[in-house]
Amino acid sequence: MSAPERIEVHGHRGARALLPENTLAGYLYAIQAGADFIELDVLATADDALVACHDPVLRRRIYSGPFGTRVVRRMTLAQLKEWDCGARRNPLFRRQSAAPGARIPALTEVLDLASRDGFSFNIEVKTVPKRPHLTPSPARYAELLVALVRERGLEKRVLVQSFDFRVLACVRALAPEIPASALCGFRTREFVALAAAAGVSTVAPYHRAINSRRVSDAHDAGIRVIAWTANRPRDWERLIRAGVDGIITDDPAGLLCHLGRR
Ligand code: G3P
C-alpha cells in the first residue's frame, strides 16, 4: 500500500474546537466544513437507546441537568434528554461557542444526517471494562449498533472504532461488511501486531505514537492508520509527512485549510 492520495479529515466529536462536543450543531458544522468523517462517541441508556455521548457519568463541567443520577446507563432516553450538553462551554477550548438548549443526540438523530452526502460516520463505541455496569456487553452493543446501521443501509458510510477489541470482534462477527478500527494510546505495540490482535485492517493510534516507519510498515501489510486527536498545524504536518491515511481533529475546518481543501 503506498502513501494515501488524500488524507481523511475526521471531525472529533463534531468540531469540539468551535462547538460543544457530540452535538448535532457540531456535527453539522463539520459536515458543512467538508470533513470526510464525523467522529462521535456512543453509549447506551437504560432503555437501550444508543446515544452520542463521551462520558458514561455526565460531568457537570460540561453537562447541566436535573438532580439525581449522572450515569447515562441508568437513565432512559427521555430522562437523558432533560440534560443540556451545550450551555456550558468547555474551558479547554477557548474558541468554543456555547449552544444552549442542545440535547444529547440519539444515534438515530445523528444517522439521520446521512441525508446529506459527502461524509461518513466514525463511531467510537465506549466501554469501561473495569466498570461493566456502565455500558452494555460488547455483544449487545454490537447488536444495537449493527441493527441501526443496517436499517438505514449505511454499512458503506460507517467505520466502527473502539479501544475495546471485544466490541470490534462482536461487530465483525455480526457485520463483517462494516469496517472497524482499533484505537490505541501512546504506549502501543507495533501497528501490524495491533491490527492482527484486533482482527481489523485499520488502526487508530494516539498521534504521538505515530512515525513514518510505523506507518510504512502498516501500509506494507495493507493496514490503514488514522491518528487521534491532533489539533496543531505542526502536528498535522508531522502526521502528513509520516503518511497517515486520516487525522482525527477537533478543528476539521482548520485541518481542511491546512490541506488546501478550503
Ligand atoms: O477518536 C478517538 C479518540 O478521540 C479517542 O479518545 O477520549 O476522544 O474517546 P476519546
Side-chain angles (χ1 to χ4, degrees):
M1 191 189 281
S2 53
E5 280 170 17
R6 174 177 148 124
I7 292 176
E8 287 168 0
V9 173
H10 296 234
H12 186 237
R13 307 188 199 176
R16 185 169 57 159
L18 294 160
L19 284 160
E21 67 185 60
N22 288 317
T23 55
L24 291 173
Y27 302 138
L28 271 171
Y29 172 90
I31 294 165
Q32 281 160 2
D36 300 297
F37 280 79
I38 54 171
E39 193 269 355
L40 58 135
D41 303 288
V42 156
L43 290 168
T45 59
D47 46 350
D48 271 356
L50 293 182
V51 291
C53 182
H54 180 270
D55 301 348
V57 182
L58 299 178
R59 283 173 294 162
R60 291 226 177 245
R61 191 184 190 191
I62 295 185
Y63 302 93
S64 37
F67 187 75
T69 187
R70 291 181 293 120
V71 177
V72 171
R73 187 66 171 149
R74 290 210 193 112
M75 288 182 246
T76 62
L77 179 60
Q79 287 169 326
L80 191 68
K81 286 286 185 184
E82 291 174 34
W83 286 73
D84 187 305
C85 58
R88 296 188 178 159
R89 278 187 58 249
N90 185 328
L92 297 176
F93 296 89
R94 62 184 169 76
R95 289 191 294 145
Q96 192 187 85
S97 310
R103 292 293 185 257
I104 294 168
L107 181 59
T108 51
E109 295 172 80
V110 184
L111 295 179
D112 284 346
L113 299 173
S115 56
R116 293 153 199 267
D117 290 328
F119 77 97
S120 297
F121 301 86
N122 181 351
I123 301 177
E124 179 180 346
V125 179
K126 282 284 177 205
T127 65
V128 190
K130 288 189 178 152
R131 300 179 72 193
H133 61 284
L134 292 178
T135 62
S137 69
R140 182 67 182 142
Y141 247 143
E143 268 171 33
L144 294 168
L145 179 58
V146 168
L148 289 184
V149 171
R150 282 198 174 139
E151 227 170 76
R152 288 168 167 71
L154 289 174
E155 295 91 329
K156 288 193 172 23
R157 287 179 71 184
V158 165
L159 173 69
V160 177
Q161 62 173 2
S162 189
F163 288 102
D164 188 336
F165 297 174
R166 298 170 307 161
V167 171
L168 300 178
C170 291
V171 170
R172 299 292 294 148
L174 258 188
E177 74 279 16
I178 300 178
S181 169
L183 279 162
C184 60
F186 178 66
R187 290 180 199 286
T188 175
R189 57 191 128 178
E190 293 300 312
F191 299 165
V192 178
L194 182 77
V200 296
S201 54
T202 302
V203 295
Y206 176 55
H207 71 93
R208 291 194 192 285
I210 292 174
N211 58 44
S212 39
R213 199 264 309 151
R214 284 182 150 181
V215 175
S216 148
D217 287 354
H219 284 173
D220 288 347
I223 310 291
R224 303 176 73 247
V225 180
I226 299 174
W228 65 269
T229 294
N231 291 333
R232 296 183 305 183
R234 69 168 183 254
D235 289 322
W236 295 335
E237 205 43 49
R238 177 174 51 79
L239 294 165
I240 293 163
R241 274 194 255 108
V244 296
D245 301 276
I247 299 176
I248 298 173
T249 178
D250 289 303
D251 184 5
L255 175 53
L256 286 158
C257 274
H258 187 83
L259 292 168
R261 286 172 50 193
R262 259 171 81 89

